Coordinates of all heavy atoms in Angstrom, one line a residue:
M60 N 1.6 32.4 6.9 CA 0.9 31.4 7.8 C 1.9 30.4 8.3 O 2.3 29.6 7.5 CB -0.3 30.7 7.0 CG -1.1 29.9 7.9 SD -2.4 28.9 7.0 CE -3.3 30.1 6.2
D61 N 2.2 30.6 9.6 CA 3.2 29.6 10.1 C 2.6 28.3 10.3 O 1.4 28.0 10.2 CB 3.9 30.2 11.4 CG 2.9 30.3 12.6 OD1 1.8 29.8 12.5 OD2 3.3 30.9 13.6
G62 N 3.5 27.3 10.7 CA 3.1 25.9 10.9 C 2.0 25.7 11.9 O 0.9 25.1 11.6
P63 N 2.1 26.3 13.2 CA 1.0 26.2 14.1 C -0.3 26.7 13.6 O -1.4 26.1 13.9 CB 1.5 26.9 15.4 CG 3.0 26.7 15.3 CD 3.3 26.9 13.8
T64 N -0.3 27.9 12.9 CA -1.5 28.4 12.4 C -2.1 27.5 11.3 O -3.3 27.2 11.3 CB -1.3 29.8 11.8 OG1 -0.7 30.7 12.8 CG2 -2.6 30.5 11.2
T65 N -1.3 27.0 10.4 CA -1.7 26.0 9.4 C -2.3 24.8 10.1 O -3.4 24.3 9.6 CB -0.5 25.6 8.5 OG1 0.1 26.8 7.9 CG2 -0.9 24.6 7.4
F66 N -1.6 24.3 11.1 CA -2.1 23.1 11.8 C -3.6 23.4 12.4 O -4.4 22.5 12.3 CB -1.2 22.8 13.0 CG -1.5 21.6 13.8 CD1 -1.4 20.3 13.3 CD2 -2.0 21.7 15.1 CE1 -1.7 19.2 14.0 CE2 -2.4 20.6 15.8 CZ -2.2 19.4 15.3
G67 N -3.8 24.6 12.9 CA -5.1 25.0 13.4 C -6.2 24.9 12.4 O -7.3 24.4 12.6
H68 N -5.8 25.4 11.2 CA -6.8 25.4 10.1 C -7.0 24.0 9.6 O -8.1 23.7 9.2 CB -6.3 26.3 8.9 CG -6.3 27.8 9.2 ND1 -7.5 28.4 9.4 CD2 -5.4 28.7 9.3 CE1 -7.3 29.7 9.7 NE2 -6.0 29.9 9.6
L69 N -6.0 23.2 9.6 CA -6.2 21.7 9.2 C -7.2 21.1 10.1 O -8.0 20.3 9.7 CB -4.8 21.0 9.2 CG -3.8 21.3 8.1 CD1 -2.4 20.8 8.5 CD2 -4.3 20.8 6.8
R70 N -7.1 21.4 11.4 CA -7.9 20.8 12.4 C -9.4 21.2 12.3 O -10.3 20.6 12.7 CB -7.4 21.0 13.8 CG -6.2 20.2 14.1 CD -6.5 18.7 14.1 NE -5.3 17.9 14.2 CZ -4.8 17.2 13.2 NH1 -5.2 17.4 12.0 NH2 -3.7 16.4 13.4
E71 N -9.6 22.4 11.7 CA -10.9 23.0 11.5 C -11.7 22.4 10.4 O -12.9 22.5 10.3 CB -10.8 24.5 11.4 CG -10.4 25.2 12.6 CD -10.0 26.7 12.4 OE1 -10.1 27.2 11.2 OE2 -9.6 27.4 13.3
Q72 N -11.0 21.9 9.4 CA -11.6 21.3 8.2 C -11.9 19.8 8.4 O -11.0 19.1 8.7 CB -10.7 21.4 7.0 CG -10.3 22.8 6.5 CD -9.4 22.8 5.3 OE1 -9.8 22.2 4.3 NE2 -8.2 23.4 5.4
P73 N -13.2 19.4 8.2 CA -13.5 18.0 8.3 C -12.6 17.1 7.5 O -12.3 16.0 8.0 CB -15.0 17.9 7.9 CG -15.5 19.3 8.0 CD -14.3 20.2 7.8
E74 N -12.2 17.5 6.3 CA -11.4 16.6 5.4 C -10.0 16.4 5.9 O -9.4 15.4 5.6 CB -11.3 17.2 4.0 CG -12.6 17.6 3.3 CD -13.1 19.0 3.7 OE1 -12.4 19.8 4.3 OE2 -14.3 19.3 3.4
T75 N -9.5 17.3 6.8 CA -8.1 17.2 7.2 C -8.0 17.1 8.7 O -6.9 17.0 9.3 CB -7.3 18.4 6.7 OG1 -8.0 19.6 7.2 CG2 -7.3 18.5 5.2
A76 N -9.1 17.1 9.5 CA -9.1 17.2 10.9 C -8.3 16.1 11.6 O -7.7 16.2 12.6 CB -10.5 17.3 11.5
N77 N -8.4 14.9 11.0 CA -7.8 13.7 11.6 C -6.4 13.2 11.0 O -5.9 12.2 11.3 CB -8.8 12.5 11.6 CG -10.0 12.9 12.4 OD1 -9.9 13.4 13.5 ND2 -11.2 12.6 11.8
I78 N -5.9 14.1 10.1 CA -4.6 13.7 9.4 C -3.5 14.0 10.5 O -3.4 15.1 10.9 CB -4.4 14.5 8.1 CG1 -5.4 14.2 7.1 CG2 -3.0 14.2 7.6 CD1 -5.4 15.0 5.9
P79 N -2.7 13.0 10.8 CA -1.6 13.2 11.7 C -0.6 14.3 11.2 O -0.3 14.3 10.0 CB -0.9 11.9 11.9 CG -1.8 10.9 11.3 CD -2.7 11.6 10.3
V80 N -0.1 15.1 12.1 CA 0.9 16.2 11.7 C 2.1 16.0 12.5 O 2.0 15.9 13.8 CB 0.3 17.6 11.8 CG1 1.3 18.7 11.7 CG2 -0.8 17.8 10.8
V81 N 3.3 16.1 11.9 CA 4.6 16.1 12.6 C 5.2 17.4 12.2 O 5.4 17.7 11.0 CB 5.5 14.9 12.2 CG1 6.9 15.1 12.8 CG2 4.9 13.6 12.7
F82 N 5.6 18.3 13.2 CA 6.3 19.5 12.9 C 7.7 19.3 12.6 O 8.4 18.4 13.1 CB 6.2 20.5 14.1 CG 4.8 21.2 14.2 CD1 4.0 21.0 15.2 CD2 4.4 22.1 13.2 CE1 2.8 21.6 15.4 CE2 3.2 22.7 13.3 CZ 2.4 22.5 14.4
I83 N 8.3 20.1 11.6 CA 9.7 20.1 11.3 C 10.2 21.4 11.7 O 9.7 22.4 11.2 CB 9.9 19.9 9.8 CG1 9.1 18.7 9.2 CG2 11.4 19.8 9.4 CD1 9.8 17.4 9.3
T84 N 11.2 21.5 12.6 CA 11.7 22.8 13.1 C 13.0 22.7 13.7 O 13.5 21.6 14.2 CB 10.7 23.3 14.1 OG1 11.1 24.6 14.6 CG2 10.5 22.4 15.3
A85 N 13.7 23.8 13.7 CA 15.0 24.0 14.4 C 14.7 24.3 15.9 O 15.6 24.2 16.7 CB 15.8 25.0 13.8
R86 N 13.4 24.6 16.2 CA 13.1 25.0 17.6 C 12.7 23.7 18.3 O 11.5 23.3 18.4 CB 11.9 25.9 17.5 CG 12.2 27.2 16.8 CD 11.0 28.1 16.6 NE 10.3 28.4 17.9 CZ 9.1 29.0 18.0 NH1 8.5 29.3 16.9 NH2 8.6 29.3 19.1
T87 N 13.7 23.1 18.9 CA 13.5 21.7 19.5 C 13.9 21.7 21.0 O 14.1 20.6 21.5 CB 14.3 20.7 18.8 OG1 15.7 21.1 18.7 CG2 13.8 20.5 17.3
Q88 N 13.8 22.8 21.7 CA 14.0 22.8 23.1 C 12.8 22.1 23.7 O 11.7 22.1 23.1 CB 14.1 24.2 23.7 CG 15.4 24.9 23.3 CD 15.6 26.2 24.0 OE1 14.8 26.6 24.8 NE2 16.6 26.9 23.6
A89 N 13.0 21.4 24.8 CA 11.9 20.6 25.4 C 10.6 21.3 25.6 O 9.6 20.7 25.2 CB 12.4 20.0 26.8
Q90 N 10.6 22.5 26.0 CA 9.3 23.2 26.2 C 8.7 23.5 24.9 O 7.4 23.5 24.8 CB 9.4 24.4 27.1 CG 10.1 25.6 26.5 CD 10.3 26.8 27.4 OE1 10.8 26.6 28.5 NE2 9.9 27.9 27.0
E91 N 9.5 23.8 23.9 CA 8.9 24.1 22.5 C 8.3 22.8 22.0 O 7.2 22.8 21.4 CB 10.0 24.6 21.6 CG 10.4 26.0 22.0 CD 11.7 26.4 21.2 OE1 12.6 25.6 21.0 OE2 11.7 27.6 20.8
V92 N 9.0 21.7 22.1 CA 8.5 20.4 21.6 C 7.2 20.0 22.3 O 6.2 19.7 21.7 CB 9.5 19.3 21.8 CG1 8.9 17.9 21.5 CG2 10.7 19.5 20.9
E93 N 7.1 20.2 23.6 CA 5.9 20.0 24.4 C 4.8 20.9 24.0 O 3.6 20.5 23.9 CB 6.2 20.1 25.9 CG 7.0 19.0 26.5 CD 6.5 17.6 26.1 OE1 5.3 17.3 26.3 OE2 7.3 16.8 25.6
G94 N 5.1 22.1 23.6 CA 4.1 23.1 23.1 C 3.5 22.6 21.8 O 2.3 22.7 21.6
F95 N 4.3 22.1 20.9 CA 3.8 21.6 19.7 C 2.9 20.3 19.9 O 1.9 20.2 19.3 CB 4.9 21.2 18.7 CG 5.8 22.4 18.3 CD1 7.1 22.4 18.3 CD2 5.1 23.6 17.9 CE1 7.9 23.5 17.9 CE2 5.9 24.8 17.5 CZ 7.3 24.7 17.6
K96 N 3.4 19.5 20.8 CA 2.5 18.3 21.1 C 1.2 18.7 21.8 O 0.2 18.0 21.5 CB 3.4 17.3 22.0 CG 4.5 16.6 21.2 CD 5.2 15.6 22.0 CE 6.3 14.9 21.3 NZ 7.0 13.9 22.1
A97 N 1.3 19.7 22.6 CA 0.1 20.2 23.3 C -1.0 20.7 22.2 O -2.2 20.6 22.5 CB 0.4 21.3 24.3
L98 N -0.5 21.2 21.1 CA -1.4 21.6 20.0 C -2.1 20.4 19.4 O -3.1 20.5 18.7 CB -0.6 22.4 18.9 CG 0.0 23.7 19.3 CD1 0.8 24.2 18.1 CD2 -1.1 24.7 19.6
G99 N -1.5 19.2 19.6 CA -2.1 18.0 19.0 C -1.2 17.4 17.9 O -1.6 16.4 17.3
A100 N 0.0 17.9 17.8 CA 1.0 17.3 16.8 C 1.4 15.9 17.3 O 1.6 15.7 18.5 CB 2.2 18.2 16.6
M101 N 1.7 15.0 16.4 CA 2.1 13.7 16.7 C 3.6 13.7 17.2 O 3.9 12.9 18.0 CB 2.1 12.8 15.4 CG 2.5 11.4 15.7 SD 2.4 10.5 14.1 CE 0.7 9.8 14.4
G102 N 4.3 14.7 16.8 CA 5.7 14.8 17.2 C 6.4 15.9 16.5 O 5.8 16.7 15.8
V103 N 7.8 15.9 16.7 CA 8.6 17.0 16.1 C 9.9 16.3 15.6 O 10.5 15.5 16.2 CB 9.0 18.0 17.2 CG1 10.0 19.0 16.6 CG2 7.8 18.7 17.7
I104 N 10.3 16.7 14.3 CA 11.5 16.3 13.7 C 12.4 17.5 13.7 O 12.0 18.6 13.2 CB 11.3 15.7 12.3 CG1 10.5 14.4 12.4 CG2 12.7 15.4 11.6 CD1 10.1 13.8 11.1
A105 N 13.6 17.4 14.2 CA 14.6 18.5 14.3 C 15.2 18.8 12.9 O 15.5 17.9 12.1 CB 15.7 18.2 15.2
K106 N 15.3 20.1 12.6 CA 16.0 20.6 11.5 C 17.4 21.0 12.0 O 17.4 21.6 13.0 CB 15.3 21.9 10.9 CG 14.3 21.6 9.8 CD 13.8 23.0 9.3 CE 13.0 22.9 8.1 NZ 12.6 24.2 7.6
P107 N 18.4 20.8 11.2 CA 18.4 20.1 10.0 C 18.2 18.6 10.2 O 18.8 18.0 11.1 CB 19.8 20.4 9.3 CG 20.6 20.7 10.5 CD 19.7 21.3 11.6
F108 N 17.4 18.0 9.4 CA 17.2 16.5 9.5 C 18.2 15.8 8.7 O 18.9 16.3 7.8 CB 15.8 16.1 9.1 CG 15.4 16.6 7.7 CD1 15.8 15.9 6.6 CD2 14.7 17.7 7.5 CE1 15.5 16.3 5.3 CE2 14.4 18.2 6.2 CZ 14.8 17.5 5.1
D109 N 18.4 14.5 9.0 CA 19.4 13.7 8.3 C 18.6 13.1 7.1 O 17.7 12.3 7.3 CB 19.9 12.6 9.2 CG 20.8 11.6 8.5 OD1 21.1 11.8 7.3 OD2 21.2 10.6 9.1
P110 N 19.0 13.5 5.9 CA 18.3 13.0 4.7 C 18.3 11.5 4.6 O 17.3 10.9 4.1 CB 19.0 13.6 3.5 CG 19.7 14.8 4.1 CD 20.1 14.4 5.5
M111 N 19.3 10.8 5.1 CA 19.4 9.3 5.0 C 18.5 8.6 5.9 O 18.1 7.5 5.7 CB 20.8 8.9 5.2 CG 21.8 9.4 4.1 SD 21.2 9.3 2.4 CE 21.2 7.5 2.2
S112 N 18.0 9.3 7.0 CA 17.2 8.6 8.0 C 15.8 9.2 8.0 O 14.9 8.7 8.8 CB 17.8 8.7 9.4 OG 17.9 10.0 9.8
L113 N 15.5 10.2 7.2 CA 14.2 10.9 7.3 C 13.0 9.9 7.0 O 12.0 9.8 7.8 CB 14.1 12.0 6.3 CG 12.8 12.8 6.4 CD1 12.5 13.4 7.8 CD2 12.7 13.9 5.3
A114 N 13.2 9.1 6.0 CA 12.1 8.1 5.7 C 11.9 7.1 6.9 O 10.7 6.8 7.2 CB 12.4 7.3 4.4
S115 N 12.9 6.6 7.5 CA 12.7 5.7 8.6 C 12.1 6.4 9.8 O 11.3 5.8 10.5 CB 14.0 5.0 8.9 OG 15.0 5.9 9.4
T116 N 12.5 7.7 10.0 CA 11.9 8.5 11.1 C 10.4 8.6 10.9 O 9.6 8.4 11.8 CB 12.6 9.8 11.2 OG1 14.0 9.7 11.5 CG2 12.0 10.7 12.3
V117 N 10.0 9.0 9.6 CA 8.6 9.1 9.3 C 7.9 7.8 9.4 O 6.7 7.7 9.9 CB 8.5 9.7 7.9 CG1 7.1 9.6 7.4 CG2 9.0 11.2 7.9
R118 N 8.5 6.7 9.0 CA 7.9 5.4 9.1 C 7.6 5.1 10.6 O 6.6 4.5 10.9 CB 8.8 4.3 8.5 CG 8.1 3.0 8.5 CD 8.7 2.0 7.5 NE 8.4 2.3 6.1 CZ 7.3 2.1 5.5 NH1 6.2 1.7 6.2 NH2 7.1 2.3 4.2

Side-chain angles (χ1 to χ4, degrees):
M60 185 187 302
D61 68 8
T64 302
T65 303
F66 182 73
H68 289 298
L69 288 165
R70 288 296 171 257
E71 292 168 0
Q72 297 182 57
E74 304 85 13
T75 58
N77 296 314
I78 298 171
V80 171
V81 173
F82 282 114
I83 309 276
T84 182
R86 299 171 58 189
T87 55
Q88 292 184 7
Q90 73 183 50
E91 292 169 319
V92 170
E93 288 309 311
F95 297 134
K96 288 182 177 179
L98 292 174
M101 180 179 268
V103 176
I104 295 173
K106 269 185 170 179
F108 54 81
D109 176 5
M111 298 312 293
S112 65
L113 183 61
S115 63
T116 301
V117 168
R118 186 162 286 290

